[in-house]
C-alpha cells in the first residue's frame, strides 16, 4: 500500500504545485488538496490496520512528505504533522482510539504540544483550560492533541501530559500571518474548562519510554519505536523536501540563463555555479541518506523485537537536526547564486527559502541541544530527554 500511496501522490503533484502560490497567500492548504490526499491514503499510512490503516514502514511516509514538500512546502508540512498523529493516537488507550476512529477512520488530528494547558484532576479525568499556538492544519482536523501540566493540591505542576480533545471543546483563533510556511494555517487553539476523561490523557514520560497503553492492542513494530525519532524526523522531512524542490526549480531555471553582467556568458558555464550545484545536491543527498538510514534501523530493531539502543536513538536525533542544517545550507547556496531572480514574490526558490527557514525554528530542530545530547552520550554521561 505504501508504494501505491506514493504513486497516487505523484499523480497529484502537478495540481498541488499549481495551488502553491494561493496556498501561501490564503494562509491555509485548500480543502480540495486535503481531500485528494485523504483519498490517496496519505493520512492512513501510520494508522493501525485494525482501524483501516496501512501500518506502513515510516520511511515510506517520509518519502511521501518529501515529495509533497518539494512542490509546496506548506502542504508538505501540514501533511507531515497531520499524518504522524494517527501513529501517536495508536499509543493512547483503546477507548480514545475508538472515540476518534470508531465513526470516522479518516478523522484528522492537529496538535500543539507546549505544556501551556492547565489540568486539574476531576472525577474520572481532568478539567482543561489553555491557549496553544502553532497548531498546523487545525482547521482540517476534528480533534487536537495539546500539552498540559497536571496541577497538584497547591497549584504546582506534578506531571506533563498530552491531552486529546474533540473539535467541540475548543475554538480556533485565526492569527497565523507569518513570513514562511504561511499556508499551514498554524493558528491558536483555545480551551476553556473542558472535561477530559482519563482515557484521553497520556503521560509524556510513558510515551518516551515506549509504554503507551495503546500498545496492548496495536502490537505491530510501528508502535514500538520512539516518539523522539518519529516526531522529530516528521518535522525535518518537509524541510529536506523543500530543499530538494528548490534544487529542481533552480536547475531548471538556470539552464537557459545568460548573465547580463560579469562579462556575460551562459550561467551553466560558470564554474562557481557548477560548484554551487554540486554542494547543494550533496547536502540534500546526505540529509536524506542519514535520516532514512536511522529510521530504517530503528524500525528494523522493532521488527525483530529488540530493544532500540540509546546510541541509535541519539544518533537519529543528531542526524535529524544535521539534516535540517544541511537542507538550509543547500537552499542558501541556491538562493544566493540565483541572484535577483530568486527575489520575486511567489518564485519557487524564494518560497522554498522562506518555508525552510520557518520550519527550521521548530523546537525539534534545536540543533545545539540535540548535538549536545549526542556528545553527552558519547562521553558516557546520562541523557534524559523526551525527544530521544
Amino acid at each position: 500500500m505504501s508504494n501505491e500511496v506514493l504513486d497516487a501522490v505523484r499523480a497529484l503533484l502537478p495540481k498541488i504545485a499549481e495551488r502553491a502560490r494561493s496556498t501561501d497567500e490564503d494562509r491555509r492548504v485548500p480543502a480540495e488538496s486535503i481531500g485528494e490526499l485523504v483519498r490517496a491514503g496519505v493520512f492512513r499510512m501510520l494508522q493501525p490496520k485494525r482501524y483501516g490503516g496501512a501500518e506502513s514502514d515510516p520511511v515510506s511516509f517520509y518519502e511521501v512528505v518529501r515529495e509533497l514538500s518539494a512542490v509546496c512546502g506548506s502542504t508538505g508540512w501540514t501533511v507531515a504533522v497531520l499524518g504522524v498523529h494517527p501513529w501517536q493516537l495508536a499509543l493512547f488507550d483503546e477507548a480514545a482510539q475508538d472515540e476518534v476512529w470508531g465513526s470516522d477512520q479518516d478523522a484528522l488530528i492537529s496538535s500543539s504540544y507546549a505544556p501551556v494547558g492547565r489540568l486539574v484532576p476531576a472525577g474520572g479525568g481532568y478539567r482543561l483550560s489553555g491557549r496553544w499556538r502553532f497548531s498546523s492544519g487545525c482547521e482540517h482536523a476534528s480533534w487536537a492533541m495539546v500539552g498540559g501540566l497536571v496541577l497538584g493540591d497547591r497549584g504546582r505542576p506534578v506531571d506533563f501530559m498530552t491531552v486529546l480533545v474533540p473539535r467541540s471543546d475548543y475554538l480556533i483563533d485565526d492569527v497565523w500571518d507569518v513570513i514562511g510556511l504561511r499556508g499551514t494555517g498554524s493558528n491558536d487553539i483555545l480551551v476553556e474548562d473542558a472535561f477530559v476523561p482519563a482515557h484521553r490523557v497520556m503521560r509524556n514520560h510513558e510515551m518516551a519510554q515506549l509504554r503507551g497503553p495503546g500498545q496492548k492492542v496495536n502490537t505491530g513494530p510501528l508502535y514500538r519505536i520512539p516518539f523522539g525519532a518519529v516526531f522529530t524526523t516528521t518535522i525535518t522531512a518537509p524541510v529536506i523536501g523543500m530543499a530538494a524542490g528548490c534544487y529542481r526549480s533552480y536547475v531548471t531555471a538556470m539552464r537557459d540563463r545568460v548573465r547580463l553582467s560579469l562579462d556575460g556568458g551562459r550561467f551553466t558555464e560558470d564554474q562557481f555555479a557548477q560548484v554551487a550545484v554540486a554542494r547543494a545536491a550533496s547536502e540534500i543527498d546526505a540529509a536524506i541518506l542519514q535520516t532514512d538510514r536511522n529510521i530504517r534501523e530503528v524500525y528494523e530493531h522493532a521488527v525483530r523485537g529488540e530493544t532500540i539502543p540509546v546510541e541509535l536513538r541519539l544518533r537519529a536525533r543528531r542526524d535529524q537536526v544535521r539534516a535540517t542544517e544541511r537542507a538550509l545550507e543547500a537552499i542558501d547556496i541556491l538562493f544566493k547564486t540565483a541572484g535577483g531572480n530568486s527575489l520575486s514574490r511567489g518564485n519557487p526558490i524564494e518560497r522554498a527559502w522562506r518555508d525552510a527557514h520557518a520550519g527550521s525554528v521548530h523546537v525539534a530542530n534545536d540543533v545545539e541541544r540535540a548535538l549536545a545530547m549526542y556528545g553527552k552520550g558519547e562521553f558516557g554521561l546520562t541523557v534524559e530527554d523526551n525527544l530521544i
Side-chain angles (χ1 to χ4, degrees):
M1 181 174 178
S2 298
N3 290 334
E4 292 176 1
V5 171
L6 189 56
D7 290 342
V9 165
R10 283 173 173 158
L12 298 173
L13 293 180
K15 291 181 180 179
I16 291 173
E18 288 177 4
R19 300 175 192 140
R21 181 159 189 159
S22 61
T23 297
D24 193 70
E25 293 173 348
D26 295 342
R27 300 181 296 112
R28 57 181 50 83
V29 177
E32 184 178 9
S33 293
I34 296 296
E36 291 169 349
L37 293 166
V38 166
R39 291 188 290 275
V42 174
F43 299 107
R44 292 197 188 195
M45 292 186 77
L46 302 184
Q47 191 163 313
K49 289 180 179 178
R50 63 198 298 269
Y51 291 106
E55 290 192 28
S56 301
D57 178 330
V59 172
S60 299
F61 174 67
Y62 298 132
E63 289 174 343
V64 169
V65 169
R66 291 196 300 260
E67 288 285 320
L68 287 165
S69 303
V71 300
C72 178
S74 287
T75 299
W77 181 278
T78 302
V79 167
V81 173
L82 295 180
V84 78
H85 293 143
W87 174 86
Q88 188 177 2
L89 177 58
L91 305 180
F92 274 73
D93 189 281
E94 183 180 12
Q97 298 176 55
D98 286 341
E99 270 194 87
V100 176
W101 289 319
S103 59
D104 183 6
Q105 294 185 343
D106 286 321
L108 299 180
I109 308 165
S110 68
S111 68
S112 183
Y113 296 111
V116 297
R118 301 182 307 280
L119 284 162
V120 178
Y126 302 86
R127 306 299 305 188
L128 173 69
S129 296
R131 182 186 187 107
W132 294 263
R133 303 178 65 194
F134 313 126
S135 188
S136 298
C138 57
E139 75 169 57
H140 302 294
S142 52
W143 292 80
M145 291 179 181
V146 296
L149 295 174
V150 179
L151 303 182
D153 294 337
R154 299 183 180 180
R156 295 178 180 177
V158 295
D159 210 344
F160 181 8
M161 303 282 201
T162 296
V163 187
L164 178 67
V165 291
R167 182 67 182 83
S168 57
D169 283 355
Y170 61 88
L171 299 175
I172 295 174
D173 191 5
D174 187 354
V175 296
W176 188 247
D177 189 5
V178 292
I179 190 172
L181 292 177
R182 288 179 55 80
T184 61
S186 302
N187 289 303
D188 290 6
I189 286 178
L190 290 81
V191 175
E192 184 63 41
D193 193 35
F195 177 73
V196 181
H199 66 265
R200 284 204 258 115
V201 174
M202 185 172 173
R203 296 184 67 218
N204 283 30
H205 181 71
E206 285 185 350
M207 195 154 40
Q209 298 300 316
L210 307 183
R211 295 202 304 264
Q215 291 175 332
K216 295 177 182 178
V217 292
N218 297 315
T219 59
L222 181 60
Y223 309 108
R224 295 291 188 276
I225 58 181
F227 175 85
V230 174
F231 180 74
T232 59
T233 305
T234 295
I235 296 303
T236 288
V239 179
I240 299 172
M242 295 167 206
C246 182
Y247 178 83
R248 295 172 201 166
S249 297
Y250 175 93
V251 171
T252 300
M254 296 302 167
R255 276 180 179 147
D256 298 322
R257 181 183 170 191
V258 176
R259 290 189 183 278
L260 301 179
S261 59
L262 300 177
D263 299 324
R266 289 175 57 82
F267 183 85
T268 54
E269 296 170 352
D270 185 337
Q271 184 178 17
F272 294 103
Q274 295 162 358
V275 170
V277 165
R279 288 188 182 279
S282 179
E283 296 295 347
I284 295 166
D285 282 350
I288 294 171
L289 290 169
Q290 284 191 303
T291 51
D292 281 1
R293 176 196 67 168
N294 291 333
I295 294 300
R296 188 170 287 114
E297 286 190 25
V298 166
Y299 185 65
E300 287 171 354
H301 272 78
V303 169
R304 295 191 297 266
E306 300 171 353
T307 299
I308 299 166
V310 172
E311 293 81 7
L312 176 55
R313 294 168 73 157
L314 287 170
R315 191 184 79 196
R317 279 288 278 137
R318 178 199 72 186
D319 293 342
Q320 172 256 318
V321 294
R322 286 290 292 126
T324 298
E325 282 195 322
R326 293 182 194 282
L328 290 183
E329 184 172 345
I331 283 186
D332 286 347
I333 290 171
L334 300 173
F335 184 84
K336 182 177 180 180
T337 58
N341 289 332
S342 63
L343 297 177
S344 59
R345 185 67 180 271
N347 182 299
I349 296 173
E350 175 264 348
R351 187 167 55 244
W353 185 89
R354 286 189 289 109
D355 288 346
H357 278 273
S360 73
V361 303
H362 190 284
V363 66
N365 287 321
D366 187 338
V367 177
E368 303 304 321
R369 180 181 179 86
L371 296 185
M373 288 193 297
Y374 180 83
K376 287 178 67 175
E378 285 293 282
F379 287 137
L381 302 176
T382 300
V383 180
E384 294 183 359
D385 193 283
N386 285 337
L387 289 182
I388 60 167

